[in-house]
Amino acid sequence: MATALLLGAATVPAQAQLGSTTPVRIGVVGPFTGPSADFGVPMLNGIKLAVDEINAVGGYLGRPLELVVKDDTADPDQGRKVAQELLHEKVVAAIGFCNTGVALKAMDLFQDGKTPLIVPCATGTAITAKYPAPESYIFRVTGRDALQAPFMVEEIVKRGWDKVAVFADTTGYGEGGYNDVVAALAAKNLKPVHVSRFALGVKDLSAELAAARSDGANVIYSYTVGQENAVIANGKKALGWKVPQVGPWTLSFPFFLDGAKDAAEGALMVQTFIAEPSNERRASFLSGYTRKYQRKVAVPMAAANAYDATYLLMYSFLGIRDGNLSGKAIKESLEGHMKTYYGVVTTYEKPFSAQDKDAITRNMLVIGMVKNGAITFAYPEDAKRNLIIHRKQ
């Protein structure tokens, strides 16, 4: 579907200053170098691809979108510093954060500054729960951990794995994910038979894995963001322990796929988007990304979520009747004044409201599986179901 048609479907402000060519400045913050760059860079690339398409058809009423990009290096203190810089540079809104701990450290700056922030990657449940929804300027276009954990626990129960070992890092992401997993297990009258917590950067978890095996675990639920997922998989292989590994979307990252190689085969993870061209919009996105960056997308979910977040922000601009892109006006437009956006991940029909700042609902999630070093659908019926666009429930 052509970008011009997509934007043409949106409401054009009645009183906007059509003569202005001043760029509309949008902040972008994420880990573009450092330990989380493997999904921070695809996020940035998805945003840039969307902005290029929008600017090619005139931007916002003749005003080009201009990105102000800041690298948080996955460090909470650096994230707060660059968030302050963005706000000083007078961006009208921002898209960003891949790491939950970084987001939680910096979010208050956007909230206090009444500058809308759309989070396309960080999944920590607390991100959209920190502020009362009607007052919150924090929006999200990815499945929060409180959705992902119960979805995967249902998969675990369905497969008959009733002795769960939880391996979670000690970051804000790991802590929040651990709590969501334990709560989801409790809802099924289960509790972990073994728990291991570890710092980022750990190189050897063989002792912890041996303990989990001794405790009778028949599945490992790993909740960490980087190469530690591969440490777990390789450690299992070294022990000759063929227990399955499951987790959130981080099991689709290159750190895991490349770091674990054959030890990653069969791992299951929660996904909002799997890189298969099941409709025209997805095919256009995947081919456009490959053409622009001369490579396939490394973390498709990060790129697709960010791409859609960028278009949702643009649609919010077009929903403001007088063309005044104030933070309050953008917030209110995101909450219900936009036309439907036919996106890559899903169709966004009223994705947000004053009471709900999460665009992704459970019906949009699927179980992905590592097969031959790539992510595909765990179930053929999900691949067929992916042909149908699922609206928010």
Side-chain angles (χ1 to χ4, degrees):
M1 187 181 297
T3 307
L5 293 177
L6 285 169
L7 294 177
T11 302
V12 176
Q15 302 172 32
Q17 297 178 357
L18 297 175
S20 174
T21 58
T22 304
V24 178
R25 308 191 87 200
I26 298 169
V28 180
V29 57
F32 309 129
T33 61
S36 292
D38 61 337
F39 65 119
V41 170
M43 181 194 84
L44 177 59
N45 288 347
I47 294 168
K48 287 180 173 179
L49 178 61
V51 166
D52 283 355
E53 292 174 355
I54 292 166
N55 284 341
V57 294
Y60 172 65
L61 305 178
R63 298 175 62 187
L65 304 189
E66 179 182 280
L67 297 178
V68 182
V69 180
K70 301 291 182 179
D71 183 3
D72 65 33
T73 70
D75 176 78
D77 291 331
Q78 175 68 6
R80 186 171 182 84
K81 176 179 177 290
V82 297
Q84 289 172 324
E85 292 173 1
L86 277 182
L87 294 171
H88 285 316
E89 296 189 40
K90 304 299 183 184
V91 298
V92 300
I95 303 168
F97 295 115
C98 288
N99 304 89
T100 294
V102 181
L104 291 175
K105 181 81 172 183
M107 281 188 340
D108 64 297
L109 298 171
F110 295 94
Q111 180 70 18
D112 294 345
K114 293 182 167 48
T115 301
L117 168 70
I118 303 181
V119 179
C121 290
T123 58
T125 301
I127 288 172
T128 46
K130 184 174 181 179
Y131 303 107
E135 302 167 15
S136 180
Y137 279 73
I138 313 301
F139 300 80
R140 176 159 48 193
V141 185
T142 192
R144 65 191 184 277
D145 290 333
L147 278 183
Q148 292 195 46
F151 192 74
M152 182 53 77
V153 165
E154 287 188 12
E155 180 71 13
I156 288 171
V157 171
K158 182 171 73 174
R159 291 175 179 254
W161 300 329
D162 58 351
K163 295 179 176 61
V164 184
V166 181
F167 280 63
D169 68 40
T170 52
T171 65
Y173 173 69
E175 181 67 20
Y178 168 74
N179 290 332
D180 285 330
V181 169
V182 170
L185 288 170
K188 298 293 184 180
N189 297 314
L190 296 172
K191 61 180 181 179
V193 299
H194 177 88
V195 172
S196 287
R197 304 299 303 276
F198 50 86
L200 291 184
V202 65
K203 303 297 183 184
D204 183 4
L205 289 168
S206 56
E208 291 83 352
L209 288 163
R213 181 169 62 178
S214 295
D215 289 336
N218 57 14
V219 62
I220 291 179
Y221 201 135
S222 59
Y223 231 100
T224 186
V225 74
Q227 53 86 29
E228 299 77 19
N229 277 318
V231 170
I232 293 167
N234 290 327
K236 289 195 298 103
K237 180 181 177 182
L239 289 173
W241 190 27
K242 296 184 179 180
V243 66
Q245 184 173 351
V246 306
W249 74 300
T250 54
L251 288 179
S252 68
F253 291 6
F255 263 138
F256 180 62
L257 300 177
D258 298 340
K261 295 186 169 56
D262 63 314
E265 285 293 300
L268 302 176
M269 79 294 298
V270 181
Q271 297 278 272
T272 59
F273 176 72
I274 290 176
E276 296 188 10
S278 54
N279 62 31
E280 184 180 354
R281 190 76 181 106
R282 290 168 182 154
S284 175
F285 165 73
L286 291 169
S287 63
Y289 189 103
T290 301
R291 190 165 53 248
K292 179 175 175 62
Y293 300 109
Q294 296 299 302
R295 61 182 180 274
K296 291 183 179 180
V297 56
V299 183
M301 187 170 147
N305 288 348
Y307 177 92
D308 280 355
T310 308
Y311 269 101
L312 287 171
L313 185 58
M314 178 63 185
Y315 270 48
S316 77
F317 297 166
L318 293 169
I320 298 170
R321 293 184 62 83
D322 63 1
N324 177 17
L325 302 183
S326 69
K328 183 174 184 292
I330 295 168
K331 172 184 181 292
E332 291 176 350
S333 188
L334 285 167
E335 291 172 344
H337 298 164
M338 299 186 300
K339 292 289 188 180
T340 298
Y341 164 54
Y342 300 93
V344 173
V345 173
T346 192
T347 291
Y348 300 88
E349 185 176 25
K350 298 182 178 178
F352 308 111
S353 71
Q355 302 300 327
D356 184 1
K357 297 303 193 289
D358 281 288
I360 302 299
T361 48
R362 187 187 183 284
N363 63 309
M364 300 172 189
L365 303 179
V366 296
I367 299 293
M369 179 178 67
V370 180
K371 185 175 181 181
N372 299 323
I375 306 300
T376 188
F377 292 96
Y379 298 103
E381 55 267 34
D382 278 345
K384 293 178 181 177
R385 190 170 68 92
N386 196 48
L387 297 171
I388 303 168
I389 295 295
H390 296 273
R391 285 171 166 80
K392 186 171 183 176
Q393 291 182 347

